Each structure stands twice: as structure tokens, then as C-alpha cells.
Amino acid sequence: HSEKTMLDSLILKKVENYVLELFAKKSLAENIFHSISHTKEVVDVADKIGTTEGLAMADMEIILIACWFHDTGHFHCCHGHEDQSSEYARSYLENESYPEENIKKIIGCINATRIPQIPKNKLEEIVCDADLHHLGQINIEERGKILRQEFELRGVKTLSDIEWLRTSIEFFKNHRFFTEYARREYGLQKNVNQQILEKMLENLINRQGRKTD
């Protein structure tokens, strides 16, 4: 569509370049999980969900901009990074004279990714599902390792193997996908992943039990 290419070439392209540059300049080496590749993946998934949900272009623009910015706050902090991400989005978009009502929607989407996720509308639901789509991907152990390493490198928290698995399982149990697309595409694998983690925990507890016997 001609409408799409016009939008793509304008603000979305600019946001993409700006965020790529931000990551290049500011992202910490320790951010091995919350990296630019995670951000790109989230943008791609949001694009897929939005397209499947038949979103209007204006709404597509909102969710994709939100996804580009959603983790920029990780340059500074982990806890409450959504506020910082919103700041980046707001100052950049105001500078581009982007409409205030759309900036508000974008910030709503970024804030909705805060855990526990409580999205208030369809756009926020899509961004939330895109952000946590990896819960329903096949390489869950690998991704978990990377996230855990990032936490440790940044001094957020160091957990024992058992604590880490318990925390992860708790996270899985408290999470749900909101869109039809995410439930269909990631729901089944997410359940499998939760079972894998539960099995790992059980094995670990049994092993440790044997050690103390």
C-alpha cells in the first residue's frame, strides 16, 4: 500500500534509526538479554500481531514506535525502566512534533509492559504480548540463561539455581497472553516450557536431596 510506505519512510524509519543509534551509544555491555536484537524481535512480533488483528496504519505506527522505545530505559536502570523508556519516547516524539494524543497512547503501551502486565486496550495488549512472546519460544533454557546472566552482571540479583527456577516458574504461572494471535502461536510452547522448568526444578531438588542424604 502507498499509505503504508509513506508512513514507513517517515516517522517509523526515523524512530528506528534513532533507537538503533541510542543502543549503539548507550546500551551497557551487560545488557545481553535486553539488547537491540530483543527490541527488533519485539517490533517484528508486534508487526505480525497487528497485521493479523487488522490494525489501521495509524495504530500500527503507535504499537511499533512503542516497541522500538520500550526497553531504552534499560540503559540506566532495570527496575522501573519503563518510566525512563517513556521519557526517551516523549522527548524524541515531541521534538518531531508528533501528535500529543498519539504520544500518550505510545506511553500507555510502554507502561503496560511493566510486570505484572495490565494492558487497558487492544494496542497495549499487542505490545505486552510482543514483549513476552519469548515465553512461548523453543529455546527457553538458553534465553533464561542469558537473562539470568544479565541480572548477575548488572548486580540486580544473584539467585541459586533453585531460586532462579522457582522465580521463573512463578513468572510463567502469573503470565497470560492477551491476543488471539499470541495464544495461538505461543500458548502451547509456553505450557511446554513451563513443564520443562518444573521438571528441571524437580530434578534439581531430588539431586540436592540425594546429596544431603
Side-chain angles (χ1 to χ4, degrees):
H1 334 259
S2 58
E3 182 198 11
K4 182 163 170 51
T5 44
M6 186 189 79
L7 279 173
D8 268 355
S9 57
L10 286 163
I11 189 73
L12 268 176
K13 203 68 212 146
K14 285 173 118 172
V15 165
E16 177 178 349
N17 291 335
Y18 175 70
V19 172
L20 289 174
E21 206 174 295
L22 267 185
F23 267 91
K25 281 191 199 147
K26 291 183 181 262
S27 187
L28 305 167
E30 296 88 65
N31 284 347
I32 50 179
F33 183 90
H34 294 101
S35 58
I36 188 63
S37 58
H38 165 73
T39 291
K40 286 177 175 166
E41 227 177 78
V42 171
V43 171
D44 286 344
V45 173
D47 195 10
K48 282 192 194 112
I49 303 177
T51 306
T52 311
E53 299 270 343
L55 285 193
M57 261 324 292
D59 285 339
M60 283 296 278
E61 192 178 276
I62 284 165
I63 63 168
L64 297 180
I65 292 174
C67 288
W68 276 114
F69 277 107
H70 85 286
D71 270 346
T72 49
H74 271 286
F75 304 150
H76 306 280
C77 58
C78 315
H79 194 61
H81 71 270
E82 298 85 1
D83 296 334
Q84 191 73 50
S85 301
S86 300
E87 286 292 307
Y88 271 118
R90 174 171 283 290
S91 74
Y92 179 78
L93 293 166
E94 280 179 351
N95 207 28
E96 290 292 324
S97 312
Y98 199 66
E100 173 60 30
E101 63 189 291
N102 289 0
I103 295 179
K104 283 205 175 97
K105 288 180 188 170
I106 288 166
I107 288 175
C109 287
I110 293 171
N111 282 326
T113 64
R114 201 183 294 269
I115 307 298
Q117 293 181 332
I118 310 172
K120 294 187 287 297
N121 56 48
K122 168 72 89 200
L123 302 186
E124 294 180 9
E125 288 180 355
I126 293 173
V127 174
C128 283
D129 283 355
D131 188 25
L132 292 181
H133 77 282
H134 64 271
L135 298 179
Q137 301 263 280
I138 45 180
N139 50 353
I140 192 66
E141 289 169 66
E142 199 36 53
R143 284 169 183 261
K145 271 196 197 111
I146 297 172
L147 182 59
R148 184 179 179 181
Q149 270 178 311
E150 179 182 303
F151 279 165
E152 289 174 0
L153 288 168
R154 299 197 59 174
V156 181
K157 51 179 165 223
T158 307
L159 297 171
S160 71
D161 293 350
I162 286 188
E163 287 170 329
W164 174 257
L165 283 168
R166 282 199 173 126
T167 309
S168 305
I169 292 163
E170 198 53 32
F171 192 87
F172 268 78
K173 285 183 175 161
N174 291 330
H175 168 267
R176 67 188 185 90
F177 285 121
F178 301 99
T179 62
E180 202 46 61
Y181 177 94
R183 284 199 288 267
R184 189 179 67 238
E185 295 293 319
Y186 309 119
L188 196 65
Q189 186 62 44
K190 185 194 149 188
N191 292 341
V192 171
N193 289 343
Q194 189 178 324
Q195 287 162 357
I196 291 172
L197 294 172
E198 286 168 350
K199 193 77 200 137
M200 284 165 73
L201 179 61
E202 192 186 321
N203 291 342
L204 200 56
I205 290 172
N206 289 340
R207 271 212 308 278
Q208 295 214 343
R210 281 200 298 275
K211 270 188 213 155
T212 53
D213 287 351

